[in-house]
Amino acid sequence: MRIRIAARGSKLSRIQVMMVENYLHKLGIETEFIEIKTKADLFQNEPLSKLGKGVFEKEVNQAVLDNKADVAVHSMKDILTEISENLEIYAVLPRDPPFDILISRKNLFNLEPNSIIGTSSIRRKNFLTFYRNDLNIKDLRGNIDTRLKKYFEGQYDGIIIAEASIYRLKEQVQYYRLDPHLFTPEANQGIIVVIGRKKDETIKKIFNEINDKDTLEIAIAERKALSIVGGGCHSPIGVYFEKYDKDFHGIISSSFGRKKITIEEYFHNMTPYEAGELLGKRFLEEIKNEGIIP
Ligand SMILES: NCc1[nH]cc(CCC(=O)O)c1CC(=O)O
């Protein structure tokens, strides 16, 4: 048995594939890596907002649909919009650190005024300006290793990225973890997902053994909450769920100029769909009450 795995060729993407391969090799299954170039790789200097939807995953998933590969491996937060009806989620790996981090020599509240902070995420920009409207936010694009290089070269006083990236690349750098109540991560951040063809029962079964059930439930709750509030890929709204035994704990938050709306709640005896839906609905109610949406 040999499984062909499609993914992007960036350093982070290759490591993510190796993490999936480790599980397969333990089951005695051989693997083959198939590198796919996506829009995000071909236009590394363009702002993501200009490239449109599906920049990280479209071509990778297409390789699976075309039977050039058996499965696709992605950062799950890059596939928050609906996937093709002929594809489905086969498995998720246990979640890596889900938080955002500030890579800097000073923490968020000790940075000098006018410090140059790099991020291209609208969610991160909005949270940053909510806490510190005296900072100088500069765009920061490229693969994670490119972004780190720009920081080490001194182009920025700090950059904000996902902790999972540093964890997977095993980079040694000083950083500060951003509290999920203050800086709520993007839905599904830190989760690696394997996607395959709907009808391929043999391969689906193998990944069923690898799947981390709690992580999948958390991922579903976060996706459900985001779909209720109408956010897609790279939404300005952060969503974060944790699971304790049978209970879910959820945070949803977004900054609107000088205002920040954050809802936090525990959900007892509920499915991830129900918990996600309730959290999303409470957030919508709140932004209506606050006059943010009519
Ligand atoms: N948008 C790019 C992207 N997609 C996934 C990750 C991090 C890894 C993960 O969340 O699994 C990153 C980098 C970042 O947000 O800093």
Side-chain angles (χ1 to χ4, degrees):
M1 182 85 190
R2 189 187 184 89
I3 292 181
R4 297 164 302 163
I5 304 174
R8 298 174 58 209
S10 71
K11 204 168 160 189
L12 182 63
S13 170
R14 279 174 183 269
I15 290 170
Q16 294 180 174
V17 169
M18 279 162 56
M19 291 165 72
V20 173
E21 284 178 318
N22 278 341
Y23 284 91
L24 292 169
H25 294 168
K26 273 185 207 149
L27 297 172
I29 294 162
E30 283 178 46
T31 54
E32 181 185 343
F33 174 59
I34 296 177
E35 180 181 339
I36 307 289
K37 283 212 162 41
T38 67
K39 257 194 193 172
D41 302 304
L42 297 172
F43 306 101
Q44 288 215 17
N45 295 318
E46 292 290 324
L48 283 180
S49 52
K50 251 185 146 180
L51 296 179
K53 277 187 193 166
V55 284
F56 292 110
E57 85 282 5
K58 216 173 174 181
E59 292 87 348
V60 180
N61 284 349
Q62 193 58 45
V64 178
L65 286 167
D66 295 343
N67 203 5
K68 288 175 185 148
D70 299 304
V71 294
V73 169
H74 301 279
S75 292
M76 196 170 193
K77 76 167 185 174
D78 292 330
I79 53 150
L80 290 171
T81 37
E82 283 303 306
I83 54 171
S84 154
E85 57 171 5
N86 298 316
L87 297 176
E88 67 178 297
I89 291 170
Y90 276 7
V92 295
L93 300 192
R95 191 174 213 174
D96 286 329
F99 309 109
D100 279 342
I101 56 172
L102 171 68
I103 298 184
S104 172
R105 298 168 77 170
K106 289 192 170 153
N107 77 36
L108 181 59
F109 299 102
N110 287 335
L111 288 166
E112 308 287 341
N114 297 315
S115 291
I116 300 171
I117 305 299
T119 175
S120 293
S121 142
I122 177 86
R123 177 184 55 83
R124 289 170 182 158
K125 276 180 194 168
N126 291 357
F127 284 142
L128 254 186
T129 40
F130 177 78
Y131 294 109
R132 292 289 308 262
N133 64 3
D134 58 343
L135 299 175
N136 185 354
I137 301 174
K138 228 170 90 179
D139 267 316
L140 173 64
R141 268 277 289 132
N143 291 329
I144 292 293
D145 31 324
T146 315
R147 294 191 217 175
L148 282 168
K149 189 167 154 256
K150 290 179 181 173
Y151 169 72
F152 288 128
E153 281 170 4
Q155 296 186 33
Y156 299 87
D157 299 305
I159 62 173
I160 297 182
I161 63 171
E163 186 174 8
S165 314
I166 293 296
Y167 174 83
R168 292 175 193 149
L169 292 168
K170 297 190 165 59
E171 282 285 344
Q172 295 293 322
V173 58
Q174 183 180 358
Y175 70 76
Y176 298 89
R177 182 180 283 171
L178 297 163
D179 183 300
H181 300 85
L182 272 61
F183 238 88
T184 312
E186 188 164 347
N188 292 188
Q189 188 160 297
I191 301 176
I192 293 168
V193 66
V194 181
I195 285 175
R197 288 179 292 273
K198 256 188 191 159
K199 289 179 191 135
D200 224 327
E201 294 302 328
T202 336
I203 298 181
K204 203 193 304 190
K205 242 183 164 167
I206 293 166
F207 282 99
N208 201 19
E209 283 180 50
I210 292 170
N211 181 49
D212 187 83
K213 289 196 182 72
D214 279 347
T215 299
L216 186 57
E217 288 196 2
I218 283 168
I220 288 168
E222 290 174 356
R223 292 171 92 88
K224 186 68 192 175
L226 193 65
S227 76
I228 295 286
V229 298
C233 198
H234 309 302
S235 149
I237 303 166
V239 187
Y240 175 61
F241 267 91
E242 293 169 334
K243 198 182 171 206
Y244 301 99
D245 291 323
K246 290 192 166 151
D247 293 347
F248 289 98
H249 165 234
I251 306 170
I252 185 165
S253 180
S254 194
S255 294
F256 308 86
R258 303 300 310 137
K259 223 176 219 175
K260 178 174 179 283
I261 305 292
T262 305
I263 306 282
E264 174 178 9
E265 204 166 327
Y266 280 86
F267 302 95
H268 187 58
N269 257 337
M270 272 187 218
T271 67
Y273 296 96
E274 292 165 340
E277 184 171 355
L278 267 177
L279 191 71
K281 283 185 171 161
R282 278 216 49 207
F283 181 80
L284 282 183
E285 259 168 48
E286 194 66 23
I287 55 179
K288 261 185 205 154
N289 290 343
E290 289 288 326
I292 292 166
I293 55 164

